[in-house]
Amino acid sequence: MASSFKEILGRTAKTSSSSTQRQALDSASRAARDAFDLTMDGMIGRLLDALFKGAEGAMSSDEERRLMASYSVLYENRPSYITAVRKHLDSTFAQAIQDFLDRRSTIAAIKPAATNELALVEDEELDRFVLARRLGSRLEHDFADALRELNGRLASVAGLLEIAPGSNPLRPELIVLALEDAWRDVRRDPRHDGVVLQCLTPSILGDLGKVYAAASGALADAGYSIAKAGVVTGVQRTTATRPKPASVSLGEAPLMPAAQPGFFRQLTQLLTRAAQGGRMGSPLTTVPNVGRTASQAATATTPQAMAAFTRLVPEAARPTAERPALVPTLSHLQRAQFEQPLEFGQAMSLSPIAGPDGQPASNYMDPMSQVDVALATPLRFINVIRNIADTGIVAHASEVDGAVIELVARLFDFVFEDKNLHDAIKVLLSRLQIPVLKAAMLDTAFFEREDHPARRLVNVLADAGLGWEEYDGREDPLYQLIDRTVQRVLEEFGEDLSLFERLADDVETYVDQYERESNVAAAPEIAAKQTEARQQEDVELSTRLARRAVDERLRESPPPLFVSIFLRRTWADHLGLLLAMHEPDAPEVENALQTADDLLWSVTPKRDPEARRELLVKMPDLQRQLRNGAQHASMPTSESNSFFLALEDRWAGAIVGEEIVVADAVEEALAEATSEPLPDTAMNTVLELNPAAIVELTKDDGTRVCYKLGWISENKTRFLLTNRLNSAPLIVSPEHLAERLRAGKLRIIERGPIVERALNSILSALQEVRYQDA
């Protein structure tokens, strides 16, 4: 059947519109590329500086050679690199623009390992994507205003009210990838791939705001204004932009709202495989029970629990096949946590803890009840997300929401098992389970963006709680800060993720101020301790130098063992104190060395009369100098008396020509005394500690105390430990810490962001499932 004139006109108008859109976007990409061209020389100069400085500070010779070789190649091929960047910018922008017009997701840098949609990506490509996405996110934050205007005009081009930031065909991530692709064109050694990507920073790239202003200006010249509804900022996904069910075709959906690239995509792929024991093809709605162990499982949902759940969540807020959204249900449960804690406990199968009179005395919301001995009850660590899943409300969840539920549940499994946090802090964080689940459902970038507001808040709260001990109590300012912040999230969080951002800023500001004030208050005491430690270090280093000087003399003329021990211990200490106070060529130091030489000479056999007379003349003065040195080195009186009795006996033998007898055991003892022990794993671990590290020491009575490493002396011979208030400074040696570490009485607390550590743990666990057959 022939097409009607109306159909023909419709197709013509559509083709004309598409052509106009393409021309406008091509014009914007050219403007962006030209603006970036103007910054290229300066950018490459800064990149060369970064490569050179990176080589200077490289931790290994291999990394130094890699960076210097890359520096040389980039320096020699600067024009070729600029040409390659232009080529890749044009091709990358062109493909992204076509995807934008076709309403497809441009998943940059990700190349699947197989044709299956859920196939895992190659590790190198994933690393490349993660680095590019991370830098891209930082750039999006730095140039948010310019990108907001550009995204608004791009929404007008697409005929939409708003677009997701990841659909912008000129976004920073694509520029970053073009720079890396161009590097692959000019580098000589494939092993140098990734060098540029690893070195790039916002400061090296320069002002991209001008690039996006130029692109926005080109769209404005083409007649496109900013869409009235604005754009999705990436901080939250509103109801209007929530993804449609998977059954909706890509062409019918809004512009790339359901795209899940990168880390979250990889996790969902692995979850699907895990749900099928390593086989592909299972819908993710089966995922919430994957990996659930007996210790993690909550009490089975009872009729009483279901009745309580029904009372807490109105029918209209529960998900159905026609209305699968889980957020309204979670919002009701979130408020019930603090408005109806006992009812909430019933709905989640959390029995309250009974007091001495049998009445509820402690519940899910009371982490420090006095009747709860040592805060050790298992009910503290119930994963309520899994209990929510047990109610059956996830039956209509989408694949994406199913994956989010399982991943957030696993995240809190990690938090509950983390040995770095005290149980009371874990309880405070456990109240955030429902708000964090909501936040991740509203914006799955939670799993990909280190600066995601909800993720950042969990990280800063966990970091603020590090080192808290029971004796700090509820009055501890940082404990109160965490408690207060969590309560605000429960009371105020609806669907606006900016609340997390504001609270995270408040927490960081408070912690910074707390640190500054406590540092100022403790400064005099710490300064005195540092001065004392520096003096101790000077003496110790001087003593080591003195001991080496003594050892050289002992190797040349081995004396009796008691003399060797005296020289290595007492006289080296005396000589070290002199070196700490005087220059090496000072008369006091030279006299002490001469006394050591005289002592070694005096115990050797004297066979001619002249040598005997000389010894008899020197003995009184030599004994006086040795006694003064022993007193200066604080040699115990009993040891001093024993030494001089043995020395007088030896002098008597030397006068009559008696030989020095050095038995094998004595030679071994001397060899052992003059050898320096090599650092072992424990010592190396201690020496790698940096200021701000937190350690947990177990005292002899079993008490565990957390200390913060506040300062390390220049030569790492003294470590200054303080409490959480930066006061009560304690000076210890690395040998002491290493000894504690070997004995299992020292634990180094990890300070990495807890969400990042949790996600890495989840990834590792899922990869083990993937490779379990192998």
Side-chain angles (χ1 to χ4, degrees):
M1 180 183 294
S3 301
S4 65
F5 282 106
K6 185 176 181 180
E7 291 172 335
I8 295 172
L9 286 172
R11 287 199 298 271
T12 303
K14 184 175 180 180
T15 302
S16 175
S17 174
S18 177
S19 175
T20 302
Q21 291 172 327
R22 181 74 201 210
Q23 289 176 359
L25 293 172
D26 285 345
S27 176
S29 72
R30 285 194 298 272
R33 201 254 349 252
D34 291 343
F36 190 71
D37 270 351
L38 298 176
T39 69
M40 200 104 64
D41 278 335
M43 185 272 295
I44 293 176
R46 292 188 291 272
L47 179 57
L48 286 168
D49 289 342
L51 287 169
F52 191 82
K53 290 178 181 178
E56 285 185 327
M59 300 298 291
S60 67
S61 56
D62 288 343
E63 183 66 9
E64 180 183 7
R65 286 193 294 271
R66 182 169 178 260
L67 291 172
M68 282 308 300
S70 299
Y71 173 90
S72 299
V73 170
L74 183 59
Y75 184 83
E76 294 170 5
N77 296 276
R78 193 167 183 158
S80 301
Y81 181 65
I82 291 175
T83 301
V85 170
R86 290 172 180 154
K87 180 189 73 173
H88 282 286
L89 277 177
D90 287 341
S91 62
T92 301
F93 285 163
Q95 180 60 54
I97 287 171
Q98 190 59 54
D99 290 339
F100 180 86
L101 293 173
D102 294 340
R103 301 193 179 183
R104 292 197 305 262
S105 171
T106 301
I107 305 177
I110 290 289
K111 299 176 183 178
T115 56
N116 190 310
E117 181 185 359
L118 292 177
L120 291 171
V121 298
E122 297 291 352
D123 290 343
E124 290 185 3
E125 290 299 319
L126 182 64
D127 290 343
R128 178 173 181 261
F129 169 78
V130 170
L131 287 172
R133 188 71 200 98
R134 183 177 301 166
L135 180 55
S137 296
R138 293 175 62 187
L139 293 166
E140 287 172 7
H141 179 271
D142 291 348
F143 303 105
D145 292 341
L147 282 166
R148 189 176 296 111
E149 179 179 346
L150 176 59
N151 286 345
R153 296 190 191 278
L154 289 171
S156 293
V157 173
L160 299 170
L161 292 178
E162 56 187 23
I163 66 168
S167 65
N168 184 331
L170 309 178
R171 60 188 182 275
E173 175 189 358
L174 301 181
I175 295 177
V176 171
L177 289 167
L179 292 170
E180 171 61 19
D181 288 337
W183 169 246
R184 293 187 179 192
D185 287 352
V186 301
R187 59 99 178 101
R188 296 164 186 162
D189 190 338
R191 291 175 298 180
H192 296 167
D193 286 352
V195 169
V196 167
L197 203 52
Q198 292 167 11
C199 289
L200 282 176
T201 63
S203 59
I204 289 176
L205 283 164
D207 186 6
L208 293 186
K210 295 178 180 179
V211 174
Y212 294 115
S216 185
L219 292 179
D221 292 343
Y224 290 99
S225 58
I226 299 174
K228 292 182 180 179
V231 296
V232 181
T233 64
V235 172
Q236 87 179 74
R237 183 190 294 155
T238 64
T239 304
T241 60
R242 284 183 62 79
K244 293 185 179 181
S247 59
V248 178
S249 68
L250 188 60
E252 299 170 348
L255 184 62
M256 296 190 302
Q260 306 293 347
F263 192 66
F264 180 68
R265 179 183 177 88
Q266 186 188 25
L267 289 175
T268 56
Q269 294 165 356
L270 286 166
L271 280 171
T272 301
R273 291 191 174 189
Q276 289 293 297
R279 298 189 300 276
M280 295 295 299
S282 170
L284 289 176
T285 51
T286 64
V287 164
N289 289 320
V290 173
R292 189 172 184 176
T293 65
S295 63
Q296 295 165 345
T299 306
T301 303
T302 63
Q304 293 82 359
M306 288 304 300
F309 175 81
T310 301
R311 289 192 296 272
L312 291 178
V313 182
E315 186 71 34
R318 295 177 215 162
T320 64
E322 295 76 23
R323 189 183 63 249
L326 294 173
V327 171
T329 299
L330 296 176
S331 294
H332 281 277
L333 293 175
Q334 175 183 315
R335 292 197 64 81
Q337 280 187 256
F338 66 92
E339 290 181 349
Q340 301 165 275
L342 296 179
E343 190 82 355
F344 175 83
Q346 280 187 323
M348 295 295 103
S349 301
L350 307 176
S351 301
I353 302 165
D357 57 356
Q359 297 299 314
S362 178
N363 56 53
Y364 179 76
M365 294 298 292
D366 185 7
M368 292 190 67
S369 170
Q370 293 181 355
V371 302
D372 184 11
V373 180
L375 307 169
T377 170
L379 293 179
R380 298 294 175 202
F381 307 113
I382 288 293
N383 195 315
V384 298
I385 296 174
R386 299 194 187 282
N387 287 19
I388 290 172
D390 284 345
T391 64
I393 67 171
V394 299
H396 303 292
S398 67
E399 292 186 3
V400 170
D401 284 348
V404 170
I405 291 169
E406 173 62 15
L407 292 172
V408 176
R410 288 184 179 223
L411 187 155
F412 279 96
D413 284 342
F414 180 91
V415 171
F416 299 152
E417 295 170 5
D418 188 21
K419 295 180 180 179
N420 298 310
L421 291 173
H422 193 281
D423 286 353
I425 302 299
K426 293 179 187 178
V427 174
L428 293 179
L429 295 179
S430 74
R431 302 181 195 170
L432 293 176
Q433 291 179 76
I434 294 175
V436 169
L437 177 59
K438 281 174 55 180
M441 284 187 165
L442 291 167
D443 182 13
T444 56
F446 173 87
F447 300 101
E448 298 186 343
R449 287 177 48 204
E450 293 180 357
D451 62 344
H452 186 280
R455 178 166 166 173
R456 179 170 159 243
L457 180 62
V458 174
N459 284 334
V460 297
L461 290 177
D463 191 66
L466 285 177
W468 184 89
E469 294 292 340
E470 284 184 63
Y471 62 77
D472 291 327
R474 291 178 186 267
E475 294 75 22
D476 176 68
L478 294 182
Y479 176 90
Q480 292 181 344
L481 171 69
I482 299 171
D483 192 9
R484 193 167 57 244
T485 303
V486 169
Q487 192 67 20
R488 282 196 61 187
V489 172
L490 292 175
E491 293 177 1
E492 300 177 25
F493 176 52
E495 296 188 16
D496 182 6
L497 297 186
S498 64
L499 172 67
F500 289 99
E501 191 78 37
R502 295 194 301 274
L503 291 177
D505 289 340
D506 291 345
V507 171
E508 287 187 334
T509 300
Y510 183 93
V511 170
D512 288 344
Q513 182 179 356
Y514 178 87
E515 288 281 340
R516 286 195 300 271
E517 291 177 353
S518 60
N519 281 333
V520 170
E525 188 178 10
I526 287 179
K529 280 289 184 180
Q530 287 176 328
T531 300
E532 177 187 341
R534 290 190 182 97
Q535 292 172 348
Q536 292 175 356
E537 180 174 75
D538 288 344
V539 171
E540 182 171 325
L541 295 177
S542 298
T543 302
R544 290 180 188 176
L545 182 62
R547 190 164 288 118
R548 284 198 292 269
V550 168
D551 289 345
E552 291 178 4
R553 288 162 169 78
L554 294 177
R555 281 190 289 269
E556 293 174 1
S557 178
L561 182 59
F562 78 94
V563 174
S564 174
I565 292 174
F566 173 82
L567 287 174
R568 290 202 87 252
R569 294 179 183 173
T570 304
W571 203 253
D573 289 346
H574 165 59
L575 188 55
L577 291 171
L578 293 175
L579 280 170
M581 295 185 292
H582 306 285
E583 294 297 324
D585 57 354
E588 294 85 353
V589 175
E590 292 183 349
N591 288 339
L593 285 172
Q594 184 60 51
T595 301
D597 292 336
D598 290 345
L599 174 60
L600 290 171
W601 171 84
S602 71
V603 297
T604 58
K606 305 297 181 278
R607 295 186 176 85
D608 60 88
E610 186 62 33
R612 294 189 188 100
R613 281 194 297 272
E614 185 178 356
L615 175 57
L616 290 170
V617 170
K618 282 189 173 182
M619 278 171 48
D621 185 59
L622 179 57
Q623 188 176 67
R624 180 181 57 79
Q625 292 190 55
L626 291 173
R627 286 188 181 278
N628 289 338
Q631 185 178 3
H632 185 217
S634 302
M635 186 180 188
T637 303
S638 59
E639 293 182 14
S640 176
N641 292 337
S642 298
F643 168 74
F644 284 106
L645 285 174
L647 180 60
E648 289 173 0
D649 185 61
R650 178 55 209 160
W651 279 345
I655 290 173
V656 299
E658 182 180 298
E659 293 288 344
I660 298 175
V661 179
V662 182
D664 292 342
V666 174
E667 290 181 345
E668 292 175 5
L670 180 59
E672 182 179 354
T674 58
S675 63
E676 293 290 341
L678 295 175
D680 61 1
T681 302
M683 178 59 76
N684 288 333
T685 300
V686 169
L687 293 176
E688 288 172 1
L689 290 175
N690 293 314
I694 296 178
V695 298
E696 181 188 77
L697 280 171
T698 302
K699 296 184 177 180
D700 294 337
D701 61 0
T703 305
R704 295 184 177 182
V705 183
C706 285
Y707 291 100
K708 181 165 59 177
L709 180 54
W711 171 82
I712 301 174
S713 64
E714 183 178 357
N715 291 282
K716 294 192 173 184
T717 69
R718 295 293 183 274
F719 288 56
L720 186 145
L721 304 178
T722 66
N723 60 19
R724 297 174 82 236
L725 291 171
N726 299 310
S727 59
L730 174 68
I731 298 293
V732 296
S733 67
E735 290 78 13
H736 173 79
L737 294 178
E739 181 182 354
R740 290 278 176 172
L741 187 60
R742 295 186 200 101
K745 294 185 177 182
L746 171 69
R747 189 168 64 86
I748 299 168
I749 294 178
E750 293 185 60
R751 292 213 65 172
I754 195 168
V755 176
E756 279 74 350
R757 291 193 289 115
L759 292 178
N760 287 333
S761 175
I762 293 169
L763 178 62
S764 298
L766 289 172
Q767 286 174 329
E768 288 177 7
V769 174
R770 175 190 175 195
Y771 296 116
Q772 60 184 353
D773 294 338

